[in-house]
Every structure is written in structure tokens, then in C-alpha cells.
Amino acid sequence: LNSTDNYWHEFGFVENRCNAQDQSPIDVCTKPTRDCKEHHEFRTRRGDYNVDSELMEKQILHNKLRVVMARRIGEEPDPPQVDFAGIGSKKLDMLNIDIKLKSEHTICGRRFDGEMQYYFFHPVRQALIAIAWLFEAQPENPENEHLQLLIEEFQNLYDETSKRCSENENTNLDSSTIEGGDSAKRRLRNGSRREQTKLKYWDPFHSDIQKTIHFWGYTGSLTEPPCTDAVLWRIMDVPVQISTGQLNQLQNILFNYRSSETCAFTSSHFNDSVARPLANELRYYKCTRTDYVSDDEREICGDSGCDAPFGKDLQPYVESIVYVSGPPTLSPTMMPF
């Protein structure tokens, strides 16, 4: 683990902690045992990175899709940033995005279709902050247009490798395997749409993705080696809606990808999932409207919010996956770091 083959080596996380306590992921539900310490929503900036640029390096790994953000080397350009409440920091740069199928975390025993994780590093506390967005695919769901822009970048990488392997083997692969069903049509349509809208930047906090400012929180670990147990997790309480076609496309990209060097299939999936088993339950908390309302709503109606609630950026309010009123204890537990 003490080498550049370990992605987390950059931050000094080299000790194998996979057999330690306080491991992630966990199941969260309606009975938090800690109090929310946040006093405002985490405040976001989308940054200046183009979704199709080298500043967002796309990787198809054996158990995840990963986007590695180019590290800051000056004032500009900016990667996506977040100002988190309650951890004593200003804006932190986003390090990477991981997409896993199915979700690693569960809500009241329910495992979702996928989980997208955003990672940040706190240089003073030497800890990671991770935001988890759960994917929910339903037959009636329309295509998530903004998320599709990122999916298409992975599709392009997948297609390039598939084409190269096909040429090397001098054989014609079945089009359904290469294209993931109707992905070619989707790609043409979305490419046209991007040209029409002239979208320059990809916003990780676009309203197609972020429907809520509230979450479950706990201190756990990385869900891959070295399993460092210094990760403050935030599991958002409203899932990201995607179409079944998008889920199929993501599954095809991850589960059927072939190495660009050997053309061997790379996925370690089993039964259509690469989720790590749940760990023992850890103490978690839940932030709700009782703790804070959105900044925009507070500006209009005061700290208690409006009679008719709003979501982020005055978007329509969306109810949490499950209702959580608050912790069953009147004895707050301080954050462990």
C-alpha cells in the first residue's frame, strides 16, 4: 500500500486498516444516536472543469467508475469545491468521483441501484469527507440529462477500448455488447444536445443530482484498501433519479469493460454488484429541516424557514427517503475528530 498503486497514498493513507473497527459501509435508518452539528447547508461551487477535458480523468476500474480531478496548481482553473459546516474548514477541492453498482450504503435495509461518491481531503485534520448520492432507477423515470453527460464520457472510453480489442482480434463483436443497448443512439442525441446548449462545465451539484441539503452522517472508513478509518460520510437523503436505460448503460460499461492492454475483461462484479458487505452499525446522526433550512430560504423567511419549504436554490422541496425526527437521546455526542 506504500506505493503509487494505492490511489490514497497521495494523502498518507498507507496503513492497512481493513480489519479495524469503525469500517464502512453501514445501514442508516430512523434511529440516529448522535445529534446533527451542522448549522447550514454545505455550500458548493461547480468549478471550471469541462466534462470532456483532461482535467477530469475518466477511469473504468474493476469495481467502480472513477473521475480523478486534476489537482490545483494555481488560482485558476478551479475544481469543484464545497464549504462544509461543522468541520472547521473553508472550501475544499473535490478529489475524485466514484460510481459503484449497486449502492454500498443501505437505508433501512434497502440497497439502491448505485452510489456516486464525492471525496474531499481536510489537510488540517488529515481526514477525508465523502458525500454519497444513491441512484434510483424506475421504469417511469426520464433520462437524467445532466448525469448523462458524464455517463457518455465513460461510454466513449469503453467504446474506444472495445473497438481496439475488436480490431486486434479481427472479429466483429455483437453490437449490443459494445454499445450497451441503445447507447449509440443516446450518444448521438446527447452529443447534439450538448452542441445545442453549448454546455461548458459539468456541475456535480446540478439540480438533476442534488435534490436535498440534508443527510445522514457518521465517521467511518474508506470502502477499499487501505480502509483508512478517518472518513466523515454524508449520505444524502433524497436519491438521484435515473432511467432504467441509464442503469443498463452504466452496468454494461462497468461489467463488460476490457483492459486496453490485454483485452481481458476487468470487472470483479458478482451477481451484478460490486458493493462491499455492510459493517457493524456505527453511531450516526441525521440532519433535517429542524437543524437548518437552505440558505436561500433562510434569506427570505428567516432561520426557521418558510411555511412552504424549499429545497436547494429555491427548488421544490423533496421529502427524505424515510422520515427521521431526530435522535432518541438528549445527550449530544461530539464528533470524534
Side-chain angles (χ1 to χ4, degrees):
L1 295 174
N2 194 18
S3 73
T4 55
D5 291 337
N6 167 22
Y7 171 77
W8 306 104
H9 175 272
E10 174 184 352
F11 312 102
F13 300 142
V14 297
E15 180 184 358
N16 189 334
R17 301 286 296 167
C18 294
N19 293 322
Q21 296 181 344
D22 298 341
Q23 289 293 294
S24 299
I26 64 170
D27 178 74
V28 296
C29 197
T30 60
K31 296 182 179 180
T33 55
R34 295 170 52 197
D35 289 283
C36 174
K37 296 298 181 183
E38 279 75 0
H39 53 275
H40 63 74
E41 65 178 285
F42 57 74
R43 294 161 179 159
T44 66
R45 290 186 61 186
R46 71 181 183 187
D48 306 323
Y49 288 7
N50 294 9
V51 69
D52 57 353
S53 77
E54 294 181 355
L55 296 174
M56 294 177 61
E57 179 190 354
K58 274 68 67 174
Q59 301 175 353
I60 303 177
L61 306 177
H62 70 97
N63 63 348
K64 68 179 74 68
L65 306 178
R66 172 170 283 172
V67 180
V68 178
M69 301 294 177
R71 305 302 188 239
R72 180 188 298 276
I73 57 175
E75 292 186 2
E76 296 288 343
D78 289 326
Q81 297 173 302
V82 172
D83 174 9
F84 291 99
I87 63 171
S89 74
K90 296 184 178 180
K91 294 183 178 66
L92 299 179
D93 292 345
M94 183 182 292
L95 306 174
N96 60 281
I97 299 171
D98 287 353
I99 299 177
K100 302 175 181 180
L101 308 172
K102 296 183 177 179
S103 72
E104 295 188 313
H105 292 89
T106 60
I107 309 298
C108 298
R110 179 186 173 189
R111 192 176 298 279
F112 285 75
D113 295 306
E115 182 170 330
M116 181 164 62
Q117 302 164 348
Y118 299 169
Y119 287 90
F120 306 80
F121 180 65
H122 196 303
V124 176
R125 300 185 183 273
Q126 292 294 293
L128 293 165
I129 299 93
I131 303 174
W133 313 86
L134 304 175
F135 286 173
E136 183 176 48
Q138 299 288 350
E140 65 274 14
N141 283 356
E143 183 178 276
N144 187 312
E145 294 187 0
H146 197 72
L147 182 63
Q148 186 64 27
L149 296 173
L150 181 60
I151 296 175
E152 291 303 325
E153 294 302 317
F154 287 111
Q155 184 69 55
N156 291 338
L157 178 59
Y158 176 94
D159 288 347
E160 290 171 6
T161 302
S162 295
K163 181 180 179 181
R164 188 180 308 117
C165 290
S166 178
E167 292 173 347
N168 290 344
E169 295 171 356
N170 194 27
T171 185
N172 294 320
L173 297 180
D174 182 81
S175 61
S176 63
T177 301
I178 296 177
E179 298 295 351
D182 294 330
S183 68
K185 295 179 181 178
R186 280 197 299 270
R187 217 165 47 252
L188 289 173
R189 185 174 70 250
N190 284 295
S192 175
R193 180 168 58 220
R194 178 153 49 173
E195 290 179 2
Q196 292 172 2
T197 59
K198 295 182 179 180
L199 180 68
K200 186 175 182 181
Y201 306 125
W202 189 74
D203 184 359
F205 307 98
H206 188 275
S207 58
D208 283 356
I209 297 171
Q210 183 173 0
K211 301 289 186 184
T212 180
I213 59 173
H214 299 117
F215 53 85
W216 286 271
Y218 76 100
T219 299
S221 72
L222 291 170
T223 59
E224 64 184 32
C227 308
T228 302
D229 45 0
V231 182
L232 180 59
W233 283 95
R234 285 162 159 75
I235 306 166
M236 306 308 292
D237 68 0
V238 173
V240 178
Q241 299 298 318
I242 65 174
S243 69
T244 53
Q246 288 178 304
L247 177 60
N248 292 337
Q249 187 178 8
L250 285 168
Q251 290 173 331
N252 181 70
I253 293 170
L254 179 57
F255 298 156
N256 293 321
Y257 183 67
R258 307 174 78 183
S259 167
S260 60
E261 297 178 356
T262 66
C263 290
F265 290 100
T266 62
S267 176
S268 61
H269 78 285
F270 178 73
N271 287 342
D272 295 334
S273 176
V274 294
R276 189 187 190 199
L278 293 176
N280 294 329
E281 183 175 336
L282 301 178
R283 292 168 60 82
Y284 63 88
Y285 62 94
K286 177 67 170 66
C287 293
T288 69
R289 279 182 58 82
T290 303
D291 300 296
Y292 57 84
V293 298
S294 70
D295 289 347
D296 289 329
E297 186 176 348
R298 178 182 294 172
E299 184 176 346
I300 295 174
C301 300
D303 290 347
S304 298
C306 304
D307 292 338
F310 291 96
K312 180 177 182 288
D313 299 328
L314 299 182
Q315 295 290 324
Y317 180 74
V318 181
E319 293 288 347
S320 172
I321 299 168
V322 294
Y323 178 72
V324 180
S325 60
T329 173
L330 297 179
S331 300
T333 300
M334 297 300 292
M335 285 188 180
F337 66 71

